[in-house]
């Protein structure tokens, strides 16, 4: 049948059902031409490409209101899917504002998983369940996997249960049942037994009358495929389907939707998806940007409406965003245009010496904005990695600036940081029972509740600290031999660390404690998506200790920091990761850390290749489009890791910004001349490596030797840009076998010389060629 004409229709005279809840079409007022077109195109497949700040939620809710008000369908005949409960509540409130009580008759408005659970409970027997099935949380899921591993005599230490839980979650996100697992996938866990374990896990769930989160869609897909009559029932039920944030859908969600949309020929399906391919940033948790990119192939003849009129940002900010995202190849294409009516400030790009200076400069700029009457609530700092937050938190505490961390706890309140601090507190103060209690079984040491009860009872009866009570119990028979051996090893470790604390620098000791206790290995073996971030936070914690003379001084500083009022300040700067910022907006946005390896993140490039780079670029686009009036980007030329300065390269994203929308506020002292994609030195790779306030003897000598010899271009040796310099024929002041220090590569021994070029065997970086002006005698 031909598609119904795409126009706003009044119900025919005498049509009774269409008059219920009848209202005037006031809800169409204020819509621009593209929004109005998306609302009134009710028949056939429709893709609404909604750019950042273009009013997509308003379009989605107004479209539902139009369908209800025009009598095309009742509330129970509309399937409206969102990704979060918060978004579902907001949508329901907006629709209620437009059509009143009619929204209460919309039982199929919700998240993918809530609607999936509703369908499963109605047909539970057909998939081997009862209607009152339990939905397991992550802890229950891990416990069940451990039981299966024990039954199968699989060593859980070698093959962690959490790792297998992550694998199954990935399979379920891809819509794979146990029979669908390939031999290659099965081979990477428990010596090829992954498929067998997956099947045993699913069978055990049926016995328990339970499902996990992934099953809410996976079992629905199986239900629809194996019972066409049930699927047909939903085809008849749902006259219209609407999906929000379609770019974030995974394979299972895509398959679920495709099955439900098959009630009509693909070219006539009344399915509307709203999304932005340029804001697909959750590939690491299974989202497939290809779902939105191939919508027109899945539904031939689909209409595409682009919402490009931005109601949020100034033209300079939108120009930066559009110019940047245009470098992605996998996109449908659109260009945001401002409706704000002003060009606004240029996008500021600032280069600073290190992350400490970056935090200081941003803090000062925030204070300046505050003096001009701007509220802290209107400002945000969006970081690529959570470890970046620490520098800003410490700076704001020093300045007395209120701040809040969104999407997670403050740096020193994170679980991994509290655990690490507990180890250090117990080394510094053996009577710290709270610290002992926190880490005695972290990582797991096989100490059960009965063992801990004996420890606590002994400490209480003898009025001594827990660590001292443990020493006493090591000489008695109250505890079993295995528990005594475990505690003896732990006590020995603390004695060793306490002895070393007198001679080893405290930041080196901290690293040793985390390694020798097994705490670092615990997170390395953890396969959850947040474990890499936790490891980065631990590295940042150790790095932050270098600024203090003693372990005691550091711990006292932490106590003062954590004593800060944790209540949400009424007016406060927001600090969050870029992933947490999606959907938010602020007058002023700071985006720090625009350096290669940090943004784009090296892990994304290593694991995802070009697709990973494009997702990082989409993340940059999301960050830029959070700003309404002012946008500030910054990069640190150096980051100190384990006591050594490492030079940072400006992010390739900086050279993808439009020159006429950007103002470089500080050329700083970054090494010059990096180019990407065959281009010459970029605009943000700064010209003079000696314009620095960093005053070491080697740096002073390099600057003095540099003098007026300004090379027109960079010198690249073995792929590493080391400095701008030339050999003036004077040779080198160094000799073979001499020990030297390099700011980036650390200590090493000269292996050979060629003019002023040194070949050095560095202790940690291996053999490198460098210029003698950048080393000093070690």
């Amino acid at each position: 049948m031909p598609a119904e004409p795409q126009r706003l229709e009044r119900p025919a005279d005498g049509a009774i059902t269409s008059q219920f809840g009848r209202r005037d079409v006031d809800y169409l007022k204020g819509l621009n031409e593209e929004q109005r077109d998306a609302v009134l195109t009710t028949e056939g497949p429709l893709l609404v490409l909604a750019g950042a700040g273009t009013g997509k939620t308003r379009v989605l809710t107004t479209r539902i209101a139009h369908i209800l008000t025009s009598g095309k369908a009742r509330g129970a005949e509309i399937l409206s899917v969102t990704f979060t409960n918060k978004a579902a509540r907001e949508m329901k409130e907006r629709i209620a504002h437009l059509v009143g009580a009619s929204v209460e008759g919309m039982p199929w408005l919700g998240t993918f998983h809530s609607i999936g659970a509703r369908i499963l409970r109605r047909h539970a027997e057909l998939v081997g369940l009862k209607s009152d099935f339990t939905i397991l949380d992550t802890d229950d899921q891990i416990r069940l996997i451990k039981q299966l591993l024990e039954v199968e005599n699989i060593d859980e230490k070698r093959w962690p249960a959490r790792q297998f839980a992550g694998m199954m979650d990935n399979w379920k996100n891809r819509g794979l049942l146990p029979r669908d697992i390939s031999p290659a996938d099965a081979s990477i866990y428990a010596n090829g037994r992954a498929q067998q374990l997956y099947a045993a896990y699913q069978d055990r769930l049926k016995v328990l009358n339970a499902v996990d989160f992934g099953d809410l869609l996976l079992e629905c897909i199986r239900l629809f495929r194996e019972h066409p009559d049930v699927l047909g029932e939903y085809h008849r039920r749902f006259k219209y389907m609407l999906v929000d944030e379609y770019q974030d859908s995974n394979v299972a969600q895509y398959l679920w939707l495709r099955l439900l949309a098959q009630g009509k020929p693909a070219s006539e399906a009344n399915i509307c998806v709203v999304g932005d391919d340029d804001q697909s940033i959750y590939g690491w948790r299974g989202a497939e940007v290809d779902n939105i990119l191939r919508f027109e192939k899945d539904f031939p003849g689909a209409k595409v409406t682009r919402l490009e009129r931005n109601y949020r940002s100034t033209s300079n900010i939108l120009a930066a965003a559009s110019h940047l995202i245009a470098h992605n190849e996998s996109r449908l294409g659109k260009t945001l245009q401002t409706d704000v009516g002003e060009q606004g400030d240029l996008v500021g790009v600032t280069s600073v010496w290190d992350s400490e200076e970056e935090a200081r400069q941003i803090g000062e700029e925030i204070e300046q904005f505050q003096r001009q009457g701007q509220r802290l609530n209107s400002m945000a700092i969006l970081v690529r990695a959570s470890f970046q937050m620490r520098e800003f938190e410490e700076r704001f505490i020093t300045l007395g600036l209120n701040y809040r961390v969104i999407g997670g706890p403050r740096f020193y309140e994170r679980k991994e940081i509290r655990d690490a601090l507990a180890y250090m507190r117990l080394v510094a103060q053996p009577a710290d029972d709270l610290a002992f209690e926190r880490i005695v079984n972290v990582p797991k040491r096989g100490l059960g509740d009965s063992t801990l009860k004996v420890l606590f009872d002994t400490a209480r009866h003898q009025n001594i600290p827990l660590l001292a009570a443990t020493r006493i119990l090591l000489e008695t028979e109250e505890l079993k031999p295995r528990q005594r051996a475990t505690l003896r090893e732990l006590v020995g470790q603390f004695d060793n660390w306490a002895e070393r604390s007198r001679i080893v620098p405290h930041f080196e000791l901290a690293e040793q404690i985390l390694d020798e206790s097994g705490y670092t290995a615990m997170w390395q073996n953890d396969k959850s998506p947040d474990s890499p971030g936790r490891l980065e936070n631990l590295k940042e914690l150790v790095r932050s200790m270098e600024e203090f003379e003693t372990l005691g001084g550091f711990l006292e500083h932490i106590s003062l920091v954590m004593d800060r009022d944790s209540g949400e300040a009424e007016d406060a700067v927001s600090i969050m990761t870029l992933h947490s910022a999606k959907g938010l907006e602020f007058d002023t946005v700071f985006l720090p850390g625009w350096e290669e390896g940090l943004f784009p993140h090296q892990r994304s490039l290593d694991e995802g290749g070009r697709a990973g780079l494009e997702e990082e670029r989409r993340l940059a686009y999301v960050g830029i489009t959070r700003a309404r009036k002012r946008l500030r980007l910054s990069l640190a030329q150096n980051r100190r890791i384990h006591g050594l300065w490492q030079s940072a390269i400006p992010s390739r994203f900086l050279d993808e910004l439009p020159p006429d929308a950007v103002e470089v506020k500080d050329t700083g002292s970054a090494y010059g001349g990096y180019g990407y994609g065959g281009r010459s030195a970029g605009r943000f790779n700064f010209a003079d490596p000696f314009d620095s306030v960093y005053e070491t003897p080697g740096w002073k000598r390099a600057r003095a030797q540099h003098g007026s010899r300004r090379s027109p271009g960079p010198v690249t040796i073995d792929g590493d840009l080391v400095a701008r310099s030339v050999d003036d024929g004077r040779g080198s002041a160094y000799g073979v076998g001499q020990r030297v220090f390099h700011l980036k590569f650390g200590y090493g021994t000269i292996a050979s010389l060629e003019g002023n070029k040194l070949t050095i065997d560095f202790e940690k970086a291996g053999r490198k060629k460098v210029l003698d002006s950048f080393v000093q005698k070690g």
Side-chain angles (χ1 to χ4, degrees), residues 657-673:
L657 300 174
D660 55 354
V662 173
E663 176 186 12
V664 180
K665 295 195 170 185
D666 176 11
T667 58
S669 57
Y671 297 129

Side-chain angles (χ1 to χ4, degrees), residues 113-134:
H113 291 91
S114 66
I115 294 173
R118 183 183 179 91
I119 292 174
L120 270 189
R121 292 198 188 278
R122 297 184 68 197
H123 309 280
E125 291 77 8
L126 297 179
V127 291
L129 295 166
K130 297 178 182 177
S131 60
D132 60 346
F133 60 77
T134 301

Side-chain angles (χ1 to χ4, degrees), residues 701-738:
R701 183 172 66 253
R703 186 169 54 192
Q705 292 171 351
H706 180 64
S708 61
R709 292 184 286 106
R710 303 253 171 166
S711 169
V715 176
T716 303
I717 304 174
D718 285 352
D720 284 314
L721 181 66
V722 184
R724 292 173 183 264
S725 185
V726 294
D727 181 8
D728 57 5
R730 63 175 174 77
S732 174
Y734 296 95
V736 174
Q738 188 170 0

Side-chain angles (χ1 to χ4, degrees), residues 6 34-49 59-60 63 241-243 246 266-275 292 295-296 299-306:
Q6 298 171 351
E34 296 79 17
Q35 291 173 332
R36 190 181 182 94
D37 183 50
V39 168
L40 300 184
T41 303
T42 58
E43 309 308 309
L46 173 67
L47 169 60
V48 180
L49 277 180
V59 166
L60 202 58
R63 194 171 194 274
M241 297 173 57
L242 301 95
V243 187
Y246 191 59
S267 60
E268 300 175 17
N270 291 336
I271 179 171
C272 169
V273 300
V274 181
I292 194 170
F295 183 81
E296 292 177 89
F299 299 93
K303 182 173 182 177
V304 179
T305 298
R306 286 173 167 80

Side-chain angles (χ1 to χ4, degrees), residues 149 154-161 163 189-191 525 527:
L149 294 177
I154 296 173
D155 185 1
E156 202 268 331
K157 291 184 178 179
R158 183 179 179 188
W159 306 105
Q163 178 185 357
Y189 184 84
N191 297 320
N525 294 329
K527 302 303 178 182

